[in-house]
Amino acid sequence: MSAKVSLFATCVLNNFYPDVAFSVVRVLSKLGVDVTVRQDQTCCGQPFFNSGHWNDSSKLMRKFVESYSGGKEDIVLPSGSCTSMVRNHYLEVCNEDDIGGIRDVSGRTFEFTEYITRELGISDLTPFQSTINKKINVTYHESCHLKRELGVSNEPIDLLRSLENVTLMDMDQPEVCCGFGGTFATKYPEISTAMGEEKVANIVKSGADIVTASDMSCLMHIDGLIARKNIPLKSMHISQVIEQSLNMECQK
Amino acid sequence: MKPETKNFNLKSKETLLDPQIQENLSGLYGGFHSARIKASSDTADWEELQIKGREIKKHVINHLDQYLELLESNVISSGGHVHFAETAEDATQYVVKLAKKKGVKTVVKSKSMLSEEMSLNEELIKHGIDPYETDLGEYIVQLAEETPYHIIAPAIHKSRQEVSKLFADKIGTNHTENIETLTSEARDQLRDKFIQADMGITGGNFLVAETGTLALVSNEGNGRMCTSMPPIHVAIVGMEKIIPSMEDLGTFLRLLIRSATGQWISSYVTMISGPRESTDIDGPEEFHLVIVDNGRSKMLADPHLREALYCLRCGACLNACPVYRKVGGHSYGWVYPGPIGAIVSPILTGLSDAKDLPFASSLCGACKEACPVKIDIPRMLLYLRNQLAEGKNYPDQRSVGFLERVASKFMSSLLSSNKAVGFFLKAANLIATIAPFVRKPFPPSWTKSRESPTLAKKTFVDQWVSLDLDGSLRKKH
């Protein structure tokens, strides 16, 4: 019986990067997962939670919980940050009535690379790589919430290393925040930009052509900086790197 | 110290533009931060030590009254005096009054952040008493007439060139950038002060309740000089620094020193239990312990913030924080900077004025990861943000603007309906045919330095629905 997953694309992917969400679907499908998508999805509520507006956040928490509760399928989010919102912070913005639903849903909620490595038990993608695609030099930025709030750190790196066409280039201070931080990026644009510029300098120094990460919001920030400065770097979500390496786009 | 927490925005922007300070701050990652990581990972039982330390702190803070009483009786029985000060002013008054009564002219001080809360040096000077900071970093900061930049490295923002110029201007040394020569110059200056001093004032890293012992950690030996040479020793210590036993001190010295500098043990650990006894060959004739609250009981009273009192003041969260490493210490506008300062300062000096501090974090969690007693700093920052926006526990301190609250309500309602999101996106794309910038919706605060991402023509969900209907998704894989 194949694994069943309902994909919650997150508001960032739904509105800005639908192609990335499709990459996630295609990679999961390639790994034998049956993917469905609920039409009533929008946002997990994290931006409101992080800005202190917990009442507003709880509306979206309830929407998420109602939407998925009672189901059997796992819920996959291509973002460590949103996954942590569901798993760690929903309990902070809820009433007692919400707790049962939150526990049901959050026990089945996983970040994309966490799901592949821990739930599917796949850390080596070689068996899925039929022909070796063009070699690419990739460097990996560790998204803060994936690493520190979910404890997922080596898993995505293992996945990338297992891809034969991918050369993983070492980045200095890979675990240091890129400076996005949600509304922090616009409340303190100068600090956020200074942090981002340091991150970009470390990416450039790695010698990679492509920077990848598990969270599109980090990459949105990094990409905004490299686009402004015309730095010859490409940012790709980890699902896109995997999809490209599994030589899937030719089947489009 | 007068709080200037309101100026965070201004001060942080200034600091970002100072290349010298930026260089010094960026050195913290490879310096203290990396040294801490190495020391803790070389310690076999680090995680257990952290949990043990946290449990002890939790216990002692939950039974603070009992331990303070025990400490008091032990200090008194070993011949010391104990004063409980509710406010910083109260503590200052006690010290000034004592100094005047004893005819004190010169005070030598070892490092104490609490004395910054009290503006102790200013007050002593007002009363004709000369205080001399004897920690090298504090000495530099005092000469420059500034305040400490970092909890354990007060002059981290100064380059050796600046220190050289400062020494030449203030104490007339020859211009030299040789650190050894500069240090030796400070040592010569301070040696006289130690001999002259009528009073030594120190802080305290720990107070051991069962023995009435004050423990001081230092690397320069100045703490020991301040506590043994002058005839009077006054220790000013925050009430949260208390620990139950000598055995616990072993746990906390390991946690504190490794987290602060990455050393396994500091050059000096000084333990003082009361004044000189008749058989002692040196030590002060009088020992006064001033235990200070100054707003700490507000943290004790709020279960969401209580764990801020577990803090050992090691500075590890500052070194780990990518925001501190950009904005530095003075931006935070009060005694304690960095992640822990963004919690302590608002509570001790007023949340409303300090409203920028809890928001000045990307919530990356590096502080929590670095903390030797696992203080959940991000959770408390989030709590304070919530109090500023919705203020149930601190209603008079609510200060998130009306506009932001309305915007948050509007956006969260919009996002509660995927139909509304789809509609808005369609509308935006329609408008974008004549005004393309609409598809780059991020505000100027983003686009000043970064390109805005582009709104999709159709949401992922809408694309999925149309694919799913004609079955073409299945062809894709």
Side-chain angles (χ1 to χ4, degrees):
Chain A
M1 204 184 85
S2 65
K4 285 194 186 347
V5 153
S6 190
L7 175 71
F8 184 85
T10 77
C11 55
V12 171
L13 267 62
N14 195 28
N15 295 303
F16 292 103
Y17 305 103
D19 290 352
V20 177
F22 278 110
S23 291
V24 170
V25 173
R26 286 193 285 268
V27 169
L28 288 174
S29 303
K30 175 92 177 180
L31 303 181
V33 178
D34 191 1
V35 184
T36 56
V37 174
R38 287 194 62 96
Q39 291 177 38
D40 57 354
Q41 61 177 283
T42 55
C43 166
C44 69
Q46 196 208 39
F48 307 96
F49 174 68
N50 281 359
S51 315
H53 302 280
W54 292 12
N55 289 330
D56 296 332
S57 177
S58 69
K59 285 189 279 192
L60 293 159
M61 174 274 287
R62 284 194 192 99
K63 182 177 163 62
F64 185 95
V65 171
E66 276 162 27
S67 190
Y68 292 101
S69 65
K72 288 272 178 287
E73 78 286 7
D74 289 326
I75 306 150
V76 167
L77 283 68
S79 156
S81 202
C82 306
T83 304
S84 176
M85 179 68 202
V86 174
R87 291 229 296 259
N88 298 319
H89 303 303
Y90 270 6
L91 287 171
E92 304 228 24
V93 297
C94 73
N95 299 324
E96 246 169 60
D97 301 346
D98 303 315
I99 294 175
I102 292 172
R103 291 208 194 283
D104 164 31
V105 168
S106 66
R108 294 182 279 123
T109 300
F110 305 97
E111 183 275 334
F112 170 67
T113 61
E114 179 191 31
Y115 180 77
I116 294 174
T117 52
R118 292 190 185 166
E119 296 304 303
L120 296 179
I122 300 170
S123 294
D124 181 1
L125 293 166
T126 343
F128 301 92
Q129 206 167 7
S130 44
T131 54
I132 305 306
N133 211 330
K134 199 180 117 218
K135 285 221 172 269
I136 46 175
N137 291 332
V138 178
T139 195
Y140 175 71
H141 161 69
E142 285 204 75
S143 295
C144 298
H145 293 168
L146 181 69
K147 177 182 166 65
R148 299 193 188 90
E149 294 189 7
L150 299 178
V152 178
S153 181
N154 291 328
E155 290 85 343
I157 297 169
D158 289 344
L159 287 175
L160 288 169
R161 275 196 209 287
S162 77
L163 296 166
E164 286 186 34
N165 63 314
V166 169
T167 308
L168 199 58
M169 313 288 278
D170 283 338
M171 186 199 303
D172 282 350
Q173 309 185 7
E175 83 296 354
V176 172
C177 179
C178 72
F180 173 64
T183 47
F184 170 76
T186 52
K187 278 196 173 169
Y188 295 101
E190 294 84 3
I191 306 171
S192 164
T193 299
M195 288 161 71
E197 282 173 349
E198 191 171 297
K199 174 58 66 180
V200 170
N202 282 327
I203 295 167
V204 170
K205 221 172 94 189
S206 77
D209 303 310
I210 295 162
V211 55
T212 191
S214 62
D215 279 50
M216 271 319 285
S217 46
C218 309
L219 290 173
M220 177 172 81
H221 189 231
I222 291 167
D223 209 41
L225 287 160
I226 58 183
R228 176 59 55 91
K229 297 212 163 161
N230 293 315
I231 296 168
L233 260 175
K234 200 174 164 191
S235 70
M236 285 170 84
H237 186 255
I238 190 164
S239 65
Q240 295 176 299
V241 174
I242 296 172
E243 185 192 12
Q244 185 183 324
S245 302
L246 297 188
N247 214 9
M248 291 162 68
E249 73 266 47
C250 57
Q251 297 167 26
K252 263 184 189 166
Chain B
M1 180 177 168
K2 201 168 152 273
E4 288 174 0
T5 49
K6 268 184 179 171
N7 300 339
F8 179 83
N9 236 324
L10 191 76
K11 281 281 194 185
S12 59
K13 280 183 209 165
E14 275 173 25
T15 309
L16 286 169
L17 297 174
D18 186 325
Q20 178 64 56
I21 292 186
Q22 287 303 311
E23 196 190 317
N24 292 11
L25 287 170
S26 73
L28 284 171
Y29 184 93
F32 284 146
H33 179 66
S34 300
R36 174 192 61 78
I37 292 172
K38 184 171 187 324
S40 55
S41 57
D42 287 350
T43 305
D45 55 349
W46 183 250
E47 172 104 31
E48 287 140 67
L49 213 55
Q50 283 182 294
I51 294 166
K52 193 173 164 195
R54 185 180 171 86
E55 284 306 311
I56 298 168
K57 274 282 173 184
K58 188 178 173 184
H59 168 80
V60 82
I61 294 297
N62 285 340
H63 301 84
L64 199 56
D65 49 344
Q66 293 165 33
Y67 282 106
L68 286 172
E69 266 178 45
L70 178 63
L71 174 82
E72 183 189 22
S73 72
N74 283 328
V75 172
I76 290 171
S77 67
S78 59
H81 303 268
V82 179
H83 176 73
F84 287 98
E86 204 181 316
T87 62
E89 295 75 39
D90 179 9
T92 307
Q93 257 185 21
Y94 180 86
V95 178
V96 170
K97 225 169 117 183
L98 177 71
K100 288 179 81 173
K101 193 172 125 195
K102 300 283 171 182
V104 170
K105 296 267 176 286
T106 305
V107 166
V108 282
K109 267 184 77 200
S110 87
K111 203 175 158 1
S112 157
M113 292 305 273
L114 178 55
S115 76
E116 300 293 330
E117 287 183 47
M118 295 159 60
S119 307
L120 184 57
N121 289 355
E122 281 171 46
E123 290 300 318
L124 288 169
I125 292 165
K126 266 190 213 161
H127 289 87
I129 300 158
D130 291 330
Y132 292 93
E133 294 289 350
T134 63
D135 171 275
L136 182 59
E138 291 284 354
Y139 180 68
I140 293 168
V141 167
Q142 189 184 25
L143 284 182
E145 297 174 45
E146 291 181 17
T147 54
Y149 209 76
H150 185 288
I151 294 175
I152 66 154
I156 190 95
H157 58 308
K158 296 269 181 228
S159 66
R160 74 170 76 179
Q161 291 82 358
E162 280 174 275
V163 174
S164 164
K165 189 174 177 315
L166 187 69
F167 276 28
D169 292 351
K170 299 272 175 151
I171 52 175
T173 55
N174 295 327
H175 272 287
T176 171
E177 284 171 19
N178 182 303
I179 288 177
E180 226 167 277
T181 315
L182 289 170
T183 309
S184 147
E185 189 61 43
R187 189 189 165 94
D188 285 349
Q189 294 277 333
L190 290 171
R191 191 59 47 146
D192 281 345
K193 307 303 172 199
F194 282 123
I195 295 165
Q196 282 168 29
D198 321 290
M199 180 186 268
I201 299 179
T202 70
N205 295 96
F206 301 102
L207 292 168
V208 182
E210 70 168 4
T211 54
T213 303
L214 169 82
L216 285 174
V217 171
S218 88
N219 275 320
E220 296 168 22
N222 61 313
R224 188 162 293 176
M225 305 272 272
C226 287
T227 58
S228 57
M229 292 183 66
I232 306 167
H233 173 204
V234 181
I236 44 176
V237 189
M239 67 180 192
E240 78 283 11
K241 294 289 184 76
I242 194 162
I243 56 171
S245 69
M246 273 294 171
E247 199 193 324
D248 298 332
L249 183 63
T251 302
F252 284 111
L253 288 175
R254 284 187 188 92
L255 286 169
L256 171 67
I257 297 164
R258 277 161 228 220
S259 301
T261 57
Q263 294 165 288
W264 281 57
I265 189 79
S266 52
S267 309
Y268 296 85
V269 176
T270 305
M271 285 182 247
I272 294 131
S273 310
R276 169 210 298 220
E277 287 176 29
S278 54
T279 50
D280 289 346
I281 49 164
D282 61 8
E285 288 144 29
E286 283 185 36
F287 172 67
H288 295 256
L289 175 62
V290 184
I291 298 172
V292 185
D293 180 335
N294 200 34
R296 285 161 175 76
S297 48
K298 283 191 265 180
M299 290 192 279
L300 186 65
D302 188 337
H304 298 282
L305 298 175
R306 190 171 295 168
E307 64 173 311
L309 293 172
Y310 303 173
C311 177
L312 309 181
R313 304 276 187 263
C314 67
C317 63
L318 279 60
N319 306 328
C321 177
V323 173
Y324 178 86
R325 292 201 303 265
K326 291 292 171 208
V327 307
H330 289 163
S331 301
Y332 290 84
W334 201 55
V335 181
Y336 305 102
I340 192 67
I343 291 158
V344 172
S345 297
I347 297 304
L348 267 53
T349 69
L351 182 56
S352 191
D353 275 359
K355 68 175 162 51
D356 287 339
L357 304 188
F359 286 102
S361 162
S362 65
L363 300 173
C364 76
C367 48
K368 180 183 173 186
E369 191 178 53
C371 180
V373 288
K374 296 174 175 273
I375 298 176
D376 197 341
I377 295 174
R379 187 193 56 73
M380 288 190 282
L381 293 174
L382 284 160
Y383 169 73
L384 291 177
R385 291 179 184 193
N386 178 238
Q387 291 307 315
L388 285 159
E390 295 173 349
K392 291 174 199 89
N393 300 338
Y394 301 85
D396 58 321
Q397 303 282 313
R398 232 171 95 155
S399 53
V400 164
F402 174 73
L403 270 181
E404 185 185 313
R405 290 208 300 276
V406 171
S408 173
K409 260 199 180 48
F410 172 75
M411 281 305 290
S412 59
S413 300
L414 174 71
L415 285 166
S416 293
S417 154
N418 64 301
K419 288 213 173 76
V421 173
F423 173 78
F424 256 80
L425 202 65
K426 278 195 194 97
N429 275 305
L430 198 65
I431 299 165
T433 54
I434 48 166
F437 63 87
V438 173
R439 291 189 64 211
K440 302 263 187 187
F442 277 28
S445 53
W446 176 284
T447 55
K448 196 178 166 209
S449 56
R450 299 155 286 201
E451 292 297 317
S452 168
T454 310
L455 270 177
K457 292 215 159 102
K458 222 171 160 187
T459 64
F460 165 67
V461 173
D462 283 350
Q463 291 189 41
W464 174 273
V465 171
S466 47
L467 284 173
D468 219 18
L469 287 176
D470 63 14
S472 57
L473 181 80
R474 274 177 190 85
K475 281 183 216 151
K476 281 208 162 191
H477 57 92

